[in-house]
Amino acid sequence: MENKKTKSKVLVNHPDYKEHQEPWIRMVKIDSVPRGIPLLVRVSALLGAMLTGAIIILAMGSNPILVYISMITESLGSASVLRETIRIAIPLLITGLGIALAFKMRFWNIGAEGQIIAGGVAASYFALFWNGYLPYPMLLIVMFIAAVVAGGLWGMIPAIFKAKWNTNETLFTLMLNYIALEGLRYLQYGPWRDPRAFGFPIISPFPAEARLPTLFGVHIGWIIALLLVVLVHIYMKKSKQGYEISVVGESVQTARYAGINVNLVYLRTMFISGAIAGITGYVTVAGANGTISEEFTGGVGFTAITVAWLAKLNPVAMIIISCFLAILDKGSGPLVNSFGIPSSVAGIITGLFLFFMLGSEFFLNYRLVFRKKEGNRE
Amino acid sequence: MNNSAVKMVNISKSFGTVQANKNVSLEFKRGEILALLGENGSGKTTLMNMLSGIYYQDSGEVFVDGEEVVISSPKDAFDLGIGMIHQHFKLVDVLTAAENIILGLKGSVTINRGKLASEIREISQKYGFALDPNKKVYDMSVSEKQKVEIVKVLYRGADMLILDEPTAVLTPQESDVLFEMLRKMKESGKAVVIITHKLQEVLFVSDRVAILRRGELVAEMNTEDATIKSLTEGMVGRKVDLAIKREEPHFGEEKLIVKDLTCLNVEGHKALNDVSFSLRAGEILGVAGIAGSGQRELCESITGLYPVENGSIIYTENDVQNELRGLTPSEIIKKGISLAFVPEDRLGMGLVAGLDMVDNMMLKSYNIEKGMLVNRKRPKRIAEMLIKALDIVTPGVSTPVRRLSGGNVQKVLLGREINSEPSVLIVAYPVRGLDINSSYTIYNLLNEQRKKGVAVMYIGEDLDVLLELCDRIMVLCNGAVSGIVDATKATKEQIGFLMTSD
Amino acid sequence: MDIDILTNFFFMAVIAATPLLFGTLGEILTQKSGSINLGVEGMMFMGASIGLSASYFYEFYAGDGTIGYIALGLAVIFGFLAGALGGFIYSVLTVTFRANQNVTGLALTIFGIGVGNLIGDLLSTHAHGFTSSTEATRRVVANVGIPFLRDIPILGRMLFSYNMMVYFAIIMALLLMWFLNKTRVGLNLRAVGESPSTADAVGINVTKYKYLAASIGGGICGLGGMVISMVDNSGTWVFNCVAGRGWIAVALVIFAAWKPSRAIFGAILFGGLSVLRLYFPLDGVPAQVYDIVPYAATIFALVLTSIRKSKESAQPKACGTNYFREER
């Protein structure tokens, strides 16, 4: 009830007086950091992650330095392991590129997993059922187009709802992942099941005509990935549509002021974002795996989100991040043989790396201000 | 008997180079309603925000009940019994009135809703109004939300209430109810301050009035000694010669003819009510009015950003008439109509804060050239040219505009719009937050445009500037035109009166 | 239709619902504070493996003297703490360091799955093959039910014959419902999740609330994982045992419209769908159709909410954005 509360006045001669001065430490948003600082911050974050990982490895009774060296030699040390590492990096990189377009628009597309599946399924359809009707390179091209269209349309669904009813895209895209996955499982356990597989629920391997050729021992997905890096970079930085994405992402209000059709940009960008994820599906089924299965994405759609984000949506930086994650993944596989460390340690080290990198961003955006002399307020 | 509630002594506060308050000393008492009167930007809200803990003064002292205090957070203000009801309500939409009222308060683990409801009813009855404690805020009208805010501070034991422009969002009937409440609060011994720029209100409800102008306290009097004339004079001040060069006008054709323009706001009320006027080439038409009289809707409906309910907007180019009503901004651009608009929200609407100057230069023109790619050569040249021509202080053309100072941001925006060689230029509050020098740069730019034969519409708040800069001044009041006067002959009092003549 | 099949089906639906319900309740609490933590899957993995380890090592050292209640109790405590650690890491990154909520949640998922499977693998190695609860623990964990009541025909089976974690989950839901709707702290928490600046202005410590909600919420998710490893799998570590149930919990939060009471029914519904085909296989309807229903229903609920512009059953408004009180 009013006035019931006893008033505790903050008086100048009151012992609490000092506490009501400026806080000891506070944060200020900053717009720019001196050159070199970002690199320093990231290297420190990497070291922090490695140090924390080292403690975990020590706790398991192994020498962390030897483990790290082994991880590097097992992922980069020879041509054959290097090829394997690149094979892991390709889908991360391609998907990250697609996600970056959506994120640039502040459209939180966490549905790349589903878009990859949509693309993979569409490509597989042609691989499985159109071989023989289409000449050799045509089949691969048709598969590619199918993957692009399917991934793009799957990505566009949440954008339609976002444009029309402002439906939360984070949750929508997340749900679509599982619908796509169940669709794929239906095919694998039902109509596409290989009758010659002794009862195993698998889909038959693609014919050779539906396999991507290799170059330097790796399927040409890596060329597609690098090509996409260039294309996405140009699209984001040099094209009108990329410019529209930046404006919409910064401020919908400004975009309207500039005469940009915001809903069209939502739909178009999500089509492209999904289409690029669809390409991931294509290179995975036609390149790395040579068939499709319910596990073919390997969670790339989720991991690639961290790739895009840590690279600050910069296509070139994504090459580095995706290769780094691939090194962690590939390098930790054989640890079980040499050190008795299960390969799941890769998840922990990757997680630690992501935690530290995410946390370190703070130091590029905020500055800590310590209290100045008494009573010296801004 | 000493019934002084709050005494502020020599309070000064500045933001960057803008001095918001300068040596203000003000006292308010229990059992009294004080009106704090002043134009937009005269420093009323800033002054009161120092009592509510939002800002902290650069210098000066505050005394509550005769003792010096430090108010460094809203909580401190609450503890001292000071409650401020801001213009923008701070309420949680999905909670009920009662829940909003007890938010953050200590007490029993569970909420005794029955008791709480009766307490709220008791408070509201005491001051003569009704409030349903169980109604969700999102179901409430603006005046109901305001009541929740008032009960919120009363429930917390405030005995000094500050209301910032409380009637700005209310209908006249609702305002009367509010005044009745305020009187009852006064009678129960509370100190009440209302921040306002409506003269009738001051005379109607207050006991004492303090007038701020340009951050300084210029007059303080008992309301019974005040008249509309004396208040207007105090508020607008004697005419100040700003020495803005004004040349002989050369008026051309009527570029823009607006007829019976009507727009609705979100609540369905008329934000613009049958507005009709014309804008000639080679003139600056000033638009005066208290904040929220329909200025934003006027600018945005002309530029295709705000839905028009009724009326027409005719644009004339070489005797060819175009109806702008119903066109989107991109359709206006495509028709080749060179309509430039400097909106009030510079970084949230006129510019893209996170992009650099080059990218901002092409915001409205990126699509003019054919092809898939943008051509940054031309915008880069424009950016470099503007930096030189307008003395824009920036590390370079590739610095995000967010990092520029307010004056430089405005030069970037206005520079871009002028560079598009418009035939109609609409500017909304172009000097708000700018220092004197930047302001003069802006006035000169606008005058040059006028000389070149551009039809300029200037939405302003400083009457001195409007009188010296413009050829004619249209005064808006509650979304309607209350008068269009010749700026060379009109007086500030005359305009001030039109602004507040409901 | 045979009544036994029906009651059996309901029984199994409730069993399947329990880990989902814990995950959902934990995420509801987290989201109510304005944080969307997509790391439920990871936190469930952490709870599953660390909860199991606690019980396993207790049994290992106690040997024949194992007391089942202590083993389960330790699993509950450590399962909770493990999940809470996940929630705490999330809070440090999103609340203090203001990292993107979605990305942090995904990182937590990757980390948690790694932690879960690594610890699970190490446990299996330690146990020379696979872990398994001792008889004493199993007796406590499995089918306790409520004496006498469980003997009532049909109803006894349907309502009173579950293991204690089922009842714990339902009590937790009721408790959360009471907390959010009836208590002051719950009210303040909702304000933080809807409008942190308003909460801040009335003196609520936004940071503290967000930390506590995400950590306790994470702990509750951890309990869900613990139920999978300790109860459903009888103390045996199964590689990848959480198997996407954390994500179903995220879907359930939306489906339940952020309301614990609806979460109970939603969890039973989703749990029921996951076992439905075992009990009522329909000719020509593939299993995946049953599995799709939860997600399709969730999308339907999500779209409906947005079309109606419903304020009541929408996500807390501050979700996805980090609060930064600009300097005064």
Side-chain angles (χ1 to χ4, degrees):
Chain A
M1 200 47 228
E2 13 169 12
N3 290 340
K4 202 159 59 184
K5 217 169 62 165
T6 49
K7 275 189 263 173
S8 62
K9 295 203 174 167
V10 192
L11 306 173
V12 169
N13 51 9
H14 191 274
D16 287 347
Y17 173 65
K18 279 207 176 66
E19 284 177 28
H20 287 84
Q21 288 278 315
E22 188 181 329
W24 279 108
I25 186 167
R26 67 198 163 96
M27 289 173 286
V28 181
K29 212 164 186 156
I30 48 175
D31 290 315
S32 68
V33 283
R35 256 167 193 286
I37 294 289
L39 189 67
L40 185 74
V41 165
R42 295 214 170 82
V43 170
S44 315
L46 180 61
L47 287 177
M50 286 180 67
L51 216 64
T52 317
I55 294 169
I56 293 172
I57 294 166
L58 264 178
M60 287 188 290
S62 300
N63 181 338
I65 298 173
L66 294 179
V67 169
Y68 284 138
I69 291 173
S70 156
M71 286 176 78
I72 289 175
T73 49
E74 288 295 341
S75 57
L76 304 172
S78 72
S80 69
V81 293
L82 182 62
R83 281 198 282 271
E84 197 52 46
T85 306
I86 291 172
R87 228 168 272 152
I88 297 172
I90 291 169
L92 283 176
L93 176 55
I94 299 179
T95 315
L97 292 168
I99 289 166
L101 289 175
F103 275 26
K104 184 82 186 167
M105 194 170 66
R106 307 254 163 96
F107 188 103
W108 305 116
N109 172 22
I110 53 175
E113 190 80 1
Q115 292 143 19
I116 295 171
I117 294 174
V121 166
S124 300
Y125 166 73
F126 285 96
L128 294 170
F129 303 109
W130 285 73
N131 179 37
Y133 301 103
L134 291 166
Y136 165 63
M138 269 311 284
L139 179 61
L140 276 173
I141 292 167
V142 169
M143 283 166 65
F144 179 83
I145 294 169
V148 164
V149 172
L153 292 178
W154 197 252
M156 233 167 85
I157 297 170
I160 295 169
F161 285 86
K162 171 89 173 177
K164 190 111 176 89
W165 292 295
N166 199 22
T167 308
N168 183 322
E169 77 277 10
T170 314
L171 304 173
F172 201 129
T173 49
L174 180 66
M175 292 304 116
L176 283 180
N177 289 336
Y178 296 99
I179 294 191
L181 178 63
E182 293 304 332
L184 169 57
R185 294 186 58 206
Y186 163 70
L187 295 172
Q188 181 177 339
Y189 289 85
W192 288 10
R193 185 172 180 157
D194 186 357
R196 290 156 299 177
F198 308 106
F200 287 108
I202 56 170
I203 293 168
S204 72
F206 290 179
E209 290 81 359
R211 297 295 307 269
L212 284 179
T214 56
L215 188 65
F216 303 127
V218 184
H219 66 82
I220 59 159
W222 67 272
I223 299 178
I224 297 177
L226 291 180
L227 218 58
L228 279 172
V229 168
V230 176
L231 286 177
V232 168
H233 178 80
I234 291 173
Y235 184 75
M236 281 167 91
K237 292 283 169 199
K238 307 275 177 199
S239 80
K240 287 179 181 174
Q241 296 187 357
Y243 177 72
E244 289 174 347
I245 292 173
S246 312
V247 176
V248 170
E250 279 274 339
S251 157
V252 171
Q253 168 132 291
T254 306
R256 289 186 55 226
Y257 166 86
I260 294 171
N261 184 340
V262 175
N263 285 346
L264 175 75
V265 175
Y266 278 150
L267 295 182
R268 188 180 64 208
T269 309
M270 272 312 290
F271 181 87
I272 298 171
S273 175
I276 294 176
I279 295 176
T280 305
Y282 169 75
V283 301
T284 309
V285 297
N289 295 8
T291 184
I292 190 166
S293 74
E294 59 180 313
E295 278 127 15
F296 88 105
T297 63
V300 159
F302 290 120
T303 313
I305 290 169
T306 62
V307 171
W309 188 259
L310 292 186
K312 292 203 144 181
L313 314 183
N314 177 335
V316 181
M318 273 180 240
I319 301 178
I320 300 167
I321 305 275
S322 55
C323 286
F324 185 80
L325 292 184
I327 289 170
L328 286 182
D329 193 1
K330 175 70 191 67
S332 55
L335 290 178
V336 71
N337 299 328
S338 40
F339 296 90
I341 297 174
S343 61
S344 28
V345 79
I348 297 183
I349 296 179
T350 307
L352 285 174
F353 168 71
L354 296 174
F355 288 158
F356 274 89
M357 291 300 261
L358 284 168
S360 71
E361 291 284 305
F362 173 83
F363 297 97
L364 302 176
N365 295 322
Y366 296 88
R367 185 163 52 96
L368 297 177
V369 176
F370 296 90
R371 189 210 281 178
K372 284 169 274 180
K373 267 189 284 174
E374 205 72 353
N376 214 357
R377 283 179 153 269
E378 263 183 73
Chain B
M1 181 185 124
N2 178 16
N3 56 358
S4 164
V6 172
K7 200 167 145 197
M8 305 178 86
V9 180
N10 280 329
I11 299 286
S12 294
K13 173 78 185 171
S14 52
F15 298 99
T17 54
V18 180
Q19 180 121 34
N21 288 121
K22 196 172 162 192
N23 290 328
V24 179
S25 296
L26 185 66
E27 183 174 17
F28 48 93
K29 303 185 179 114
R30 293 179 201 286
E32 177 187 83
I33 297 179
L34 173 77
L36 194 54
L37 181 70
E39 281 187 285
N40 300 325
S42 56
K44 308 170 298 237
T45 304
T46 307
L47 184 68
M48 289 300 110
N49 271 339
M50 284 184 267
L51 289 182
S52 70
I54 305 281
Y55 299 136
Y56 193 82
Q57 66 267 25
D58 296 340
S59 64
E61 292 93 47
V62 177
F63 298 85
V64 172
D65 293 332
E67 292 186 84
E68 187 172 359
V69 295
V70 172
I71 305 171
S72 61
S73 74
K75 196 178 168 302
D76 291 352
F78 273 134
D79 290 345
L80 290 163
I82 299 172
M84 181 155 168
I85 289 116
H86 296 274
Q87 249 185 306
H88 302 286
F89 304 139
K90 283 217 162 292
L91 295 172
V92 180
D93 252 11
V94 297
L95 300 184
T96 64
E99 288 170 337
N100 268 288
I101 287 162
I102 59 154
L103 212 54
L105 289 180
K106 300 224 164 20
S108 56
V109 172
T110 51
I111 304 159
N112 186 340
R113 284 175 196 269
K115 181 161 160 275
L116 177 61
S118 65
E119 283 170 352
I120 290 169
R121 288 215 182 83
E122 203 177 308
I123 294 177
S124 48
Q125 270 160 20
K126 185 170 169 190
Y127 300 110
F129 62 96
L131 179 67
D132 177 0
N134 298 320
K135 197 167 181 181
K136 300 265 182 175
V137 170
Y138 62 73
D139 278 333
M140 290 185 179
S141 69
V142 187
S143 78
E144 281 175 297
K145 288 181 190 170
Q146 186 179 55
K147 283 173 191 147
V148 177
E149 285 280 18
I150 291 172
V151 176
K152 192 167 149 186
V153 299
L154 291 175
Y155 189 87
R156 274 148 221 262
D159 52 9
M160 289 160 265
L161 270 90
I162 305 165
L163 297 98
D164 191 359
E165 312 253 1
T167 58
V169 288
L170 301 183
T171 64
Q173 292 79 0
E174 289 168 340
S175 300
D176 289 343
V177 174
L178 175 73
F179 294 148
E180 201 44 48
M181 283 163 61
L182 296 183
R183 285 204 190 92
K184 290 214 168 108
M185 284 176 205
K186 172 181 90 172
E187 279 154 22
S188 71
K190 294 192 186 302
V192 178
V193 179
I194 65 166
I195 300 175
T196 184
H197 45 222
K198 296 185 182 171
L199 306 178
Q200 282 85 351
E201 255 173 54
V202 174
L203 295 172
F204 183 66
V205 76
S206 74
D207 300 302
R208 213 153 50 87
V209 52
I211 306 175
L212 283 184
R213 191 169 68 228
R214 296 180 202 274
E216 289 181 81
L217 184 72
V218 291
E220 204 180 340
M221 61 189 99
N222 287 326
T223 308
E224 51 192 25
D225 304 328
T227 61
I228 288 268
K229 191 161 180 302
S230 66
L231 292 179
T232 313
E233 266 176 18
M235 186 162 90
V236 298
R238 244 175 280 281
K239 195 166 179 310
V240 185
D241 190 7
L242 298 171
I244 300 173
K245 260 200 301 199
R246 174 153 58 187
E247 294 179 35
E248 272 305 301
H250 300 283
F251 298 137
E253 63 179 347
E254 290 186 323
K255 298 299 286 185
L256 205 60
I257 302 167
V258 172
K259 257 193 105 156
D260 302 331
L261 186 64
T262 301
C263 295
L264 302 182
N265 63 13
V266 242
E267 269 119 29
H269 300 140
K270 282 182 179 172
L272 283 181
N273 192 354
D274 281 341
V275 170
S276 298
F277 66 94
S278 66
L279 177 61
R280 288 169 295 182
E283 87 166 329
I284 300 181
L285 173 71
V287 177
I290 57 176
S293 299
Q295 292 97 325
R296 188 175 76 89
E297 289 82 0
L298 178 63
C299 297
E300 294 189 6
S301 56
I302 293 173
T303 49
L305 292 163
Y306 200 91
V308 174
E309 188 68 17
N310 191 29
S312 70
I313 305 159
I314 306 289
Y315 170 86
T316 309
E317 179 89 70
N318 301 328
D319 295 330
V320 180
Q321 297 201 327
N322 281 294
E323 172 63 80
L324 295 189
R325 180 187 166 185
L327 296 187
T328 64
S330 59
E331 284 165 342
I332 294 176
I333 295 174
K334 266 190 211 125
K335 280 201 157 193
I337 294 167
S338 46
L339 192 64
F341 175 33
V342 175
E344 181 182 348
D345 186 357
R346 291 160 210 162
L347 287 176
M349 188 179 212
L351 297 168
V352 189
L355 297 183
D356 63 17
M357 248 186 96
V358 178
D359 277 12
N360 271 294
M361 283 306 123
M362 61 186 189
L363 188 62
K364 287 162 107 177
S365 55
Y366 74 96
N367 218 354
I368 286 175
E369 288 176 57
K370 283 199 163 53
M372 289 281 288
L373 301 184
V374 284
N375 179 359
R376 282 190 171 76
K377 281 202 195 98
R378 217 174 64 89
K380 182 154 186 266
R381 259 204 322 276
I382 298 170
E384 282 161 351
M385 184 270 288
L386 287 181
I387 289 175
K388 271 201 206 105
L390 304 180
D391 289 324
I392 296 171
V393 182
T394 167
V397 288
S398 52
T399 306
V401 292
R402 181 198 294 128
R403 275 161 53 192
L404 307 189
S405 71
N408 287 304
V409 165
Q410 184 63 296
K411 285 182 197 170
V412 171
L413 176 53
L414 186 60
R416 179 189 74 204
E417 292 302 295
I418 286 175
N419 191 264
S420 68
E421 302 193 333
S423 50
V424 174
L425 172 63
I426 299 172
V427 288
Y429 308 109
V431 297
R432 185 179 281 176
L434 268 52
D435 60 21
I436 301 291
N437 283 328
S438 307
S439 300
Y440 273 88
T441 312
I442 306 295
Y443 302 144
N444 289 336
L445 283 171
L446 294 175
N447 258 329
E448 274 171 35
Q449 292 301 302
R450 168 177 176 267
K451 202 172 149 192
K452 278 170 70 178
V454 176
V456 181
M457 188 165 104
Y458 177 98
I459 320 290
E461 42 200 350
D462 187 325
L463 296 185
D464 285 312
V465 173
L466 281 164
L467 283 168
E468 283 203 41
L469 186 70
C470 304
D471 298 294
R472 289 183 302 153
I473 297 171
M474 171 167 80
V475 187
L476 287 179
C477 183
N478 281 336
V481 177
S482 56
I484 299 179
V485 297
D486 184 340
T488 53
K489 299 196 182 79
T491 62
K492 281 172 84 171
E493 288 74 19
Q494 192 185 352
I495 295 170
F497 187 75
L498 284 170
M499 278 163 63
T500 54
S501 62
D502 272 314
Chain C
M1 196 171 285
D2 194 341
I3 193 82
D4 276 353
I5 295 183
L6 269 177
T7 49
N8 241 346
F9 165 63
F10 185 80
F11 180 85
M12 290 312 293
V14 172
I15 294 291
T18 307
L20 298 179
L21 183 54
F22 275 118
T24 308
L25 295 175
E27 182 67 5
I28 288 178
L29 182 61
T30 307
Q31 291 202 14
K32 279 287 178 187
S33 75
S35 296
I36 173 165
N37 186 351
L38 296 178
V40 180
E41 179 88 357
M43 295 187 293
M44 284 177 80
F45 262 105
M46 290 165 79
S49 63
I50 295 175
L52 175 63
S53 333
S55 148
Y56 172 81
F57 283 111
Y58 164 71
E59 289 175 336
F60 184 77
Y61 289 112
D64 290 339
T66 295
I67 300 164
Y69 284 103
I70 295 185
L72 183 62
L74 285 171
V76 167
I77 292 169
F78 279 86
F80 180 87
L81 288 177
L85 174 69
F88 181 76
I89 294 173
Y90 174 87
S91 309
V92 171
L93 289 172
T94 59
V95 180
T96 301
F97 290 122
R98 296 184 168 71
N100 180 290
Q101 295 187 359
N102 293 335
V103 182
T104 307
L106 292 171
L108 183 59
T109 299
I110 295 169
F111 178 77
I113 295 175
V115 169
N117 281 328
L118 181 80
I119 290 179
D121 283 349
L122 293 175
L123 277 185
S124 305
T125 313
H126 189 268
H128 306 291
F130 61 92
T131 58
S132 175
S133 294
T134 58
E135 204 43 47
T137 309
R138 281 190 194 212
R139 262 201 306 278
V140 172
V141 167
N143 253 351
V144 234
I146 300 170
F148 307 116
L149 288 177
R150 67 184 165 206
D151 300 327
I152 303 170
I154 303 170
L155 274 186
R157 173 78 171 152
M158 281 178 69
L159 300 177
F160 304 115
S161 55
Y162 298 104
N163 66 71
M164 59 176 85
M165 291 311 290
V166 172
Y167 299 109
F168 188 19
I170 288 168
I171 291 169
M172 183 75 86
L174 298 175
L175 208 64
L176 186 60
M177 194 167 82
W178 171 80
F179 168 74
L180 289 174
N181 296 319
K182 303 285 181 197
T183 68
R184 281 178 196 266
V185 178
L187 176 67
N188 292 348
L189 179 77
R190 278 154 68 205
V192 169
E194 290 289 340
S195 170
S197 63
T198 303
D200 196 17
V202 294
I204 296 171
N205 187 337
V206 174
T207 305
K208 189 170 109 188
Y209 269 80
K210 294 193 87 159
Y211 259 89
L212 281 174
S215 301
I216 296 172
I220 298 173
C221 293
L223 288 179
M226 190 282 291
V227 169
I228 294 173
S229 62
M230 280 297 290
V231 182
D232 297 355
N233 296 343
S234 314
T236 305
W237 180 260
V238 178
F239 187 75
N240 267 342
C241 58
V242 178
R245 275 178 272 191
W247 292 109
I248 298 186
V250 175
L252 253 172
V253 172
I254 309 160
F255 185 80
W258 291 266
K259 291 183 177 69
S261 52
R262 281 204 220 172
I264 299 176
F265 297 106
I268 295 175
L269 185 69
F270 281 29
L273 283 165
S274 69
V275 294
L276 184 63
R277 63 169 178 274
L278 303 177
Y279 287 86
F280 309 106
L282 292 176
D283 277 341
V285 179
Q288 290 74 28
V289 171
Y290 295 99
D291 292 338
I292 265 182
V293 173
Y295 303 112
T298 301
I299 288 185
F300 184 74
L302 187 65
V303 171
L304 204 66
T305 311
S306 64
I307 292 177
R308 282 197 192 143
K309 294 195 170 34
S310 161
K311 311 249 184 191
E312 289 292 334
S313 37
Q315 190 177 37
K317 268 200 226 63
C319 270
T321 51
N322 296 325
Y323 178 60
F324 177 55
R325 181 212 284 165
E326 292 288 345
E327 56 190 310
R328 292 222 175 86

